Amino acid sequence: MAKNIYFKPYLLLEKFPQVRPLDVLPVALDFMEVDQVILEDKKYRIVSLLCGKQVVNLPCGQHHFVLHVRGNSMNQATPEPIDNGDYVILREQNTAESGDIVAVEIVGVDDRATLKRFKIESGKIFLVPESADLEFKKPMYLNHIFTKLDVDIYIRGVAVAVLKPV
């Protein structure tokens, strides 16, 4: 089980006069650190999904979003299992590296995102579940191998952290 990590989402900014042009960003003085959040009146600890990273940074210039997990297809994910009911913080982007955990939209299959390990082998794209559930022991959509992004599959984000109940 991973230990608590620190989450650095908010910059503490220098004071600046109101006459400063709006397109000039203030200088960051420090970061706020949090290791827990409250969602729907429940406490969650923040655990990094990026191998070797203890701190989850959410830079101001990047967009992030949170998905509520429904299902068990990633309950054996590494470095931290993603269980039914957890929340996942994702960096909004439309590309991924092989091995990333991604939220993807699959045209004609579902109107919601699915969370899976993204793998590229011999030019083919696989969405791989990591689950103890026998239903997920083979790569999902085995009969539908993707050969190109932006045709039938759209990456909506890469997972950076999971929120686990305290």
Side-chain angles (χ1 to χ4, degrees), residues 61-144:
Q62 295 179 351
H63 294 261
H64 293 82
F65 61 98
V66 177
L67 287 181
H68 193 194
V69 176
R70 296 283 182 220
N72 294 311
S73 68
M74 295 300 287
N75 65 10
Q76 288 188 330
T78 56
E80 181 73 19
I82 302 171
D83 297 306
N84 187 42
D86 288 347
Y87 290 86
V88 176
I89 301 172
L90 296 112
R91 182 176 49 249
E92 186 179 324
Q93 62 186 66
N94 60 7
T95 60
E97 299 291 323
S98 189
D100 285 345
I101 296 174
V102 296
V104 296
E105 175 187 353
I106 303 168
V107 177
V109 174
D110 201 342
D111 60 350
R112 297 171 292 172
T114 186
L115 194 66
K116 300 289 181 283
R117 182 79 61 185
F118 180 80
K119 295 221 176 171
I120 301 174
E121 294 176 9
S122 302
K124 295 180 176 127
I125 299 168
F126 297 90
L127 300 175
V128 183
E130 296 177 357
S131 177
D133 189 332
L134 293 178
E135 175 186 351
F136 299 108
K137 286 299 179 185
K138 292 185 179 178
M140 195 169 188
Y141 311 114
L142 188 59
N143 295 326
H144 189 165

Side-chain angles (χ1 to χ4, degrees), residues 140-151:
M140 195 169 188
Y141 311 114
L142 188 59
N143 295 326
H144 189 165
I145 297 170
F146 304 100
T147 55
K148 185 177 178 188
L149 288 175
D150 301 331
V151 174

Side-chain angles (χ1 to χ4, degrees), residues 3-106:
K3 58 184 173 179
N4 282 355
I5 55 144
Y6 289 99
F7 176 60
K8 294 184 173 186
Y10 302 106
L11 290 171
L12 295 177
L13 302 173
E14 70 173 340
K15 293 180 182 180
F16 58 94
Q18 291 182 0
V19 296
R20 190 174 205 172
L22 293 177
D23 61 345
V24 177
L25 291 176
V27 176
L29 298 178
D30 205 350
F31 291 91
M32 288 175 37
E33 293 184 0
V34 295
D35 63 356
Q36 291 183 4
V37 295
I38 298 174
L39 292 171
E40 299 179 344
D41 296 324
K42 294 181 185 173
K43 288 184 180 182
Y44 292 84
R45 63 188 173 89
I46 302 161
V47 180
S48 176
L49 290 174
L50 304 174
C51 290
K53 303 267 181 166
Q54 292 291 316
V55 175
V56 178
N57 279 321
L58 302 181
C60 291
Q62 295 179 351
H63 294 261
H64 293 82
F65 61 98
V66 177
L67 287 181
H68 193 194
V69 176
R70 296 283 182 220
N72 294 311
S73 68
M74 295 300 287
N75 65 10
Q76 288 188 330
T78 56
E80 181 73 19
I82 302 171
D83 297 306
N84 187 42
D86 288 347
Y87 290 86
V88 176
I89 301 172
L90 296 112
R91 182 176 49 249
E92 186 179 324
Q93 62 186 66
N94 60 7
T95 60
E97 299 291 323
S98 189
D100 285 345
I101 296 174
V102 296
V104 296
E105 175 187 353
I106 303 168

